[in-house]
Amino acid sequence: MNAIQVQDLRKTFKVQKNREGLKGAFADLFKRQYSEVTAVKDISFSIPEGEICGYIGENGAGKSTTIKMLTGILVPTAGSLTVGGFVPYEEREKFVQNIGVVFGQRSQLWWDIGVIESFQLLRKVYRVSEQDFKKRLDELVERLELQDLLNRPVRKLSLGQRMRCELVAALLHNPSILFLDEPTIGLDIVVKSEIREFLKDMNREHGTTILLTTHDLQDIEALCSRVIMLDDGRIIYDGGLDDLKQRWGTGREVQFQFGTATKLQQLIGWTEGMPVTWTAENELAAKVWIPLELNVSDVLGRVVGQADITDIKIIETNTDDIVRSIYQSGSAEKPEERIAALSDEKEVIHV
Amino acid sequence: MSEKLATAVPSSGGSRGGSGENGRRLLLGAYFDFIRIRFLTMLAYRVNYYSGILIYTLNIGVNYFTWRAIYGDGESLGGFTGAQMTTYVAVSWMARAFYFNNLDREISTDIRDGSIAIQFIRPYNYVLVKMMQGLGEGLFRFMMLMIPGMVIATLLFPVQLPTEPSAWAGFLVMLFFSFLISSQINIITGLSAFFVENNEGMMRMKRVVVDLFSGLIVPITLFPDWLSSVLKVLPFQAITYLPGSVFTGRVQGVGIWNVLGIQVIWFLILLIPIVWLNHAARQRLFVQGG
């Protein structure tokens, strides 16, 4: 059974237009002009139970709007959606019992009261019995090491501490679906990896379905088997992370440091007949871009014998680069004619 | 639907007490907690309120001396004797110390900075939660602001408070309805932020309108006839003027029940726009900041 089922979902906002100048301001006083902005454009996807799915896209691509429709905060303009067997916006109060939500940029704890008091209040709000609550809280507190924080007021917590408390707050009622909107934003690397580990464990032990949006692709690499990529309100990629890498990882880059000055012309001459591209940073450093179908060792073989090399570094195209080039091109399809253009683009990025 | 829920949550193992008597009791407990927590939060910042006592006493003083100058040697004005006016002014301002709150500002801030999103992912009614928080604040203001203020005002000015317990009981009930009606108007003003981009102007206007038309600054009988007949069909008089009239002894006997009746009717009528706004807002909701 699918935990989340979305069909032709659309959300249109009416945005007030402000006309220019004094005249425009007066005109606005009497007759407002509105323009329609479609944030989410007829998207469809489904997420089976127990899956961790990454939902990525540039700022303003429509990620948060989708999450807000899935959690029952926003009412969609068109299309249908079911989450955990409910239509979120129709039976909001019943539906939200079943889900947990963490917004990285907003706190759901009460600022002025102690952490434990916030949890107690949420227990009552979500109607969790005392013994279930105790069991669940002990488990979460131990797992996230919150023992010392429980009696502090929320406003005295650091961001990392607060984020771990936010996770507990979202999970106290043991939801079967968890939505995370940029859960690791602003956190240091230690807390980030702690949270990733925790989410992985949770998914394994409780079968919790997780949908997360993030700008940190390491979150995606660590957690998600599947990625949905959004651009300008449309889904441009939906599938495995490995597929994405394979499809887009167009080559590798090798960086050379030379002991003696080496001219770019020489380098190009040595690799005559190979489809590689050289760029020189200065006389002592250069790099070469090698397409996937060519062996790195072949290229190295040609250079190593000739030049005085002090250091070699081989760089695989990482997910960041892949995603960046997809964002730039606005499509996850890879038409053949674009490859050439793309490799040029990559050079620009690396220089 | 409950079947679907059960299949969707195989791992929960009955950790959810969401349905039935027990669940309702817990939710009710949560609503009471909102009263308690707001009360405790306000108590933590109680020093802020010591100046409040002074400000309210000053306001009473300013009004008292103004009215004394207006009365001069005159006997009565708009059906108020000089002594009644003094009591009316003191009682009105002290009632305001209780029923006044910033729910309008809190709600419109929630809407404008987008934190309303957090409110909508919880299985409770946002407006009811706000009302409970307002009540927590009201209880605090009653104890920390109104009662000490009242004592000081009675010592400084010739205020004549009624002696029979029934008048006090009636006043407290009416005061509670003043709070309800005033909070309802605040909630309506706050929710309007869903519909206008900036409701700052509305909130300011509301504040002036409530202070003026509720009879806090000038008792309604002193307005021109046409205006006071308009004000009689508006909800504002039920906040200050009517309960104040009862407490100063100008309205007695059956009249008291009439006053209470008017308050109850306004309370019920004002529920309608709140329910409607809350519903319409769900369709229009536009969460700011992504």
Side-chain angles (χ1 to χ4, degrees):
Chain A
M1 190 191 155
N2 283 329
I4 300 173
Q5 179 87 48
V6 174
Q7 192 66 45
D8 297 324
L9 193 66
R10 184 192 305 169
K11 181 73 191 176
T12 308
F13 293 113
K14 225 167 143 190
V15 180
Q16 198 172 294
K17 261 202 284 198
N18 289 323
R19 276 170 274 185
E20 268 178 45
L22 193 61
K23 222 174 125 193
F26 268 115
D28 278 347
L29 268 183
F30 297 103
K31 196 170 187 303
R32 279 252 173 243
Q33 283 186 338
Y34 292 94
S35 54
E36 296 224 317
V37 174
T38 310
V40 174
K41 297 171 181 162
D42 306 315
I43 60 170
S44 306
F45 63 88
S46 58
I47 296 172
E49 266 176 42
E51 190 170 74
I52 305 186
C53 182
Y55 200 61
I56 59 176
E58 286 176 290
N59 288 325
K63 299 181 305 272
S64 290
T65 309
T66 318
I67 294 266
K68 276 163 190 153
M69 284 192 277
L70 292 176
T71 49
I73 296 166
L74 293 176
V75 181
T77 313
S80 66
L81 74 167
T82 13
V83 179
F86 286 93
V87 178
Y89 58 94
E90 277 176 2
E91 294 175 275
R92 189 185 64 81
E93 283 190 34
K94 251 198 219 162
F95 160 72
V96 292
Q97 293 266 350
N98 197 16
I99 60 161
V101 187
V102 174
F103 291 113
Q105 316 219 47
R106 300 186 200 289
S107 179
Q108 59 174 319
L109 303 162
W110 285 269
W111 203 241
D112 285 312
I113 59 177
V115 174
I116 188 75
E117 262 193 281
S118 274
F119 291 164
Q120 279 286 356
L121 188 52
L122 285 170
R123 171 182 89 78
K124 291 181 194 163
V125 167
Y126 283 99
R127 295 154 234 191
V128 180
S129 72
E130 186 76 58
Q131 72 236 40
D132 285 334
F133 169 74
K134 222 182 135 357
K135 207 176 104 208
R136 188 93 176 121
L137 184 66
D138 286 347
E139 191 186 312
L140 290 169
V141 163
E142 193 174 335
R143 181 67 185 73
L144 287 166
E145 293 166 26
L146 297 175
Q147 293 88 342
D148 305 333
L149 308 179
L150 286 179
N151 289 313
R152 279 200 228 161
V154 175
R155 68 185 127 87
K156 299 222 168 123
L157 299 182
S158 72
L159 185 61
Q161 292 169 331
R162 209 199 76 206
M163 216 50 195
R164 287 183 288 158
C165 292
E166 299 278 349
L167 275 171
V168 176
L171 292 168
L172 275 175
H173 55 292
N174 202 5
S176 64
I177 305 171
L178 183 61
F179 294 93
L180 303 165
D181 195 359
E182 300 183 26
T184 56
I185 195 161
L187 299 178
D188 69 53
I189 199 93
V190 179
V191 180
K192 267 186 191 177
S193 58
E194 260 175 32
I195 286 182
R196 285 174 198 148
E197 277 308 305
F198 169 74
L199 291 173
K200 248 197 275 187
D201 288 354
M202 249 237 339
N203 170 260
R204 204 172 36 234
E205 285 161 27
H206 297 270
T208 313
T209 312
I210 301 175
L211 182 68
L212 90 154
T213 76
T214 183
H215 288 295
D216 187 342
L217 291 164
Q218 284 175 330
D219 286 347
I220 303 278
E221 284 189 65
L223 290 170
C224 306
S225 46
R226 176 173 164 203
V227 195
I228 297 177
M229 199 185 285
L230 213 62
D231 184 63
D232 191 28
R234 289 193 183 85
I235 292 179
I236 54 170
Y237 180 81
D238 181 355
L241 189 62
D242 293 336
D243 283 351
L244 188 72
K245 272 191 183 170
Q246 222 148 49
R247 186 131 57 112
W248 275 83
T250 46
R252 285 138 300 178
E253 190 181 79
V254 182
Q255 293 180 350
F256 291 96
Q257 296 276 329
F258 301 112
T260 51
T262 312
K263 290 221 168 59
L264 188 61
Q265 293 308 325
Q266 282 178 289
L267 292 165
I268 292 170
W270 293 331
T271 52
E272 187 92 63
M274 286 179 158
V276 297
T277 322
W278 283 96
T279 2
E281 264 155 34
N282 52 50
E283 290 199 319
L284 293 175
K287 53 193 181 183
V288 60
W289 186 79
I290 307 165
L292 217 53
E293 55 272 15
L294 201 66
N295 257 335
V296 176
S297 56
D298 292 346
V299 181
L300 288 182
R302 296 247 193 127
V303 181
V304 169
Q306 319 261 7
D308 171 23
I309 297 169
T310 55
D311 192 23
I312 298 179
K313 215 185 272 172
I314 303 174
I315 298 165
E316 291 265 356
T317 326
N318 62 18
T319 323
D320 280 302
D321 289 335
I322 295 175
V323 169
R324 182 167 44 206
S325 42
I326 297 179
Y327 285 170
Q328 281 172 351
S329 66
S331 163
E333 299 304 317
K334 204 180 70 173
E336 287 308 308
E337 64 268 27
R338 203 184 278 153
I339 294 178
L342 190 83
S343 51
D344 286 337
E345 221 168 71
K346 272 183 64 70
E347 272 172 14
V348 174
I349 292 160
H350 283 279
V351 163
Chain B
M1 229 7 135
S2 61
E3 259 179 45
K4 278 190 196 166
L5 184 63
T7 47
V9 198
S11 60
S12 73
S15 76
R16 203 178 325 276
S19 56
E21 199 53 40
N22 199 37
R24 259 195 295 281
R25 195 176 48 77
L26 277 169
L27 185 63
L28 203 64
Y31 283 126
F32 277 112
D33 268 7
F34 283 111
I35 304 179
R36 185 176 63 86
I37 288 170
R38 177 60 71 96
F39 185 87
L40 293 176
T41 312
M42 304 281 292
L43 205 60
Y45 296 110
R46 62 182 167 276
V47 180
N48 289 356
Y49 283 83
Y50 295 147
S51 60
I53 297 174
L54 198 71
I55 291 167
Y56 273 82
T57 313
L58 268 173
N59 269 320
I60 293 172
V62 168
N63 280 282
Y64 166 71
F65 290 114
T66 312
W67 284 114
R68 230 177 54 163
I70 293 169
Y71 270 85
D73 295 328
E75 284 286 294
S76 133
L77 217 59
F80 278 88
T81 64
Q84 273 178 341
M85 186 60 88
T86 308
T87 310
Y88 178 87
V89 165
V91 168
S92 305
W93 278 96
M94 282 310 150
R96 185 183 194 271
F98 166 68
Y99 68 67
F100 181 87
N101 55 41
N102 284 317
L103 289 187
D104 50 349
R105 199 156 294 273
E106 287 173 29
I107 293 174
S108 70
T109 308
D110 272 358
I111 295 170
R112 281 161 60 185
D113 73 8
S115 44
I116 192 92
I118 295 289
Q119 303 297 326
F120 278 137
I121 55 162
R122 298 209 177 110
Y124 57 44
N125 184 308
Y126 172 64
V127 172
L128 205 53
V129 167
K130 275 289 155 209
M131 202 67 175
M132 291 297 163
Q133 290 179 333
L135 197 57
E137 183 170 340
L139 277 176
F140 170 84
R141 286 169 154 271
F142 181 75
M143 287 164 64
M144 304 299 290
L145 193 54
M146 182 177 159
I147 291 183
M150 200 79 155
V151 170
I152 293 173
T154 324
L155 293 175
L156 291 178
F157 311 108
V159 177
Q160 293 164 346
L161 296 176
T163 44
E164 63 269 38
S166 63
W168 281 94
F171 179 65
L172 288 180
V173 173
M174 286 178 203
L175 196 60
F176 183 66
F177 274 97
S178 298
F179 160 78
L180 288 178
I181 294 168
S182 153
S183 302
Q184 283 176 313
I185 292 172
N186 281 347
I187 287 170
I188 293 170
T189 317
L191 288 177
S192 72
F194 275 125
F195 301 89
V196 289
E197 223 164 72
N198 189 342
N199 69 339
E200 186 63 43
M202 283 187 74
M203 288 193 290
R204 291 205 187 149
M205 190 176 78
K206 184 232 79 192
R207 194 162 168 166
V208 174
V209 164
V210 167
D211 281 352
L212 189 63
F213 290 174
S214 70
L216 174 71
I217 296 168
V218 181
I220 284 174
T221 43
L222 294 182
F223 282 111
D225 283 344
W226 64 270
L227 187 55
S228 62
S229 53
V230 170
L231 292 183
K232 285 208 171 82
V233 294
L234 291 177
F236 308 111
Q237 57 156 353
I239 298 173
T240 303
Y241 176 69
L242 293 179
S245 300
V246 171
F247 202 56
T248 48
R250 292 185 59 251
V251 176
Q252 283 168 336
V254 192
I256 296 176
W257 289 105
N258 284 340
V259 168
L260 195 59
I262 293 172
Q263 285 192 314
V264 173
I265 288 170
W266 274 115
F267 168 69
L268 295 174
I269 292 176
L270 288 174
L271 287 178
I272 299 168
I274 291 178
V275 170
W276 179 80
L277 275 171
N278 201 25
H279 184 77
R282 299 271 304 127
Q283 306 292 325
R284 287 205 40 131
L285 179 58
F286 186 139
V287 176
Q288 318 266 0

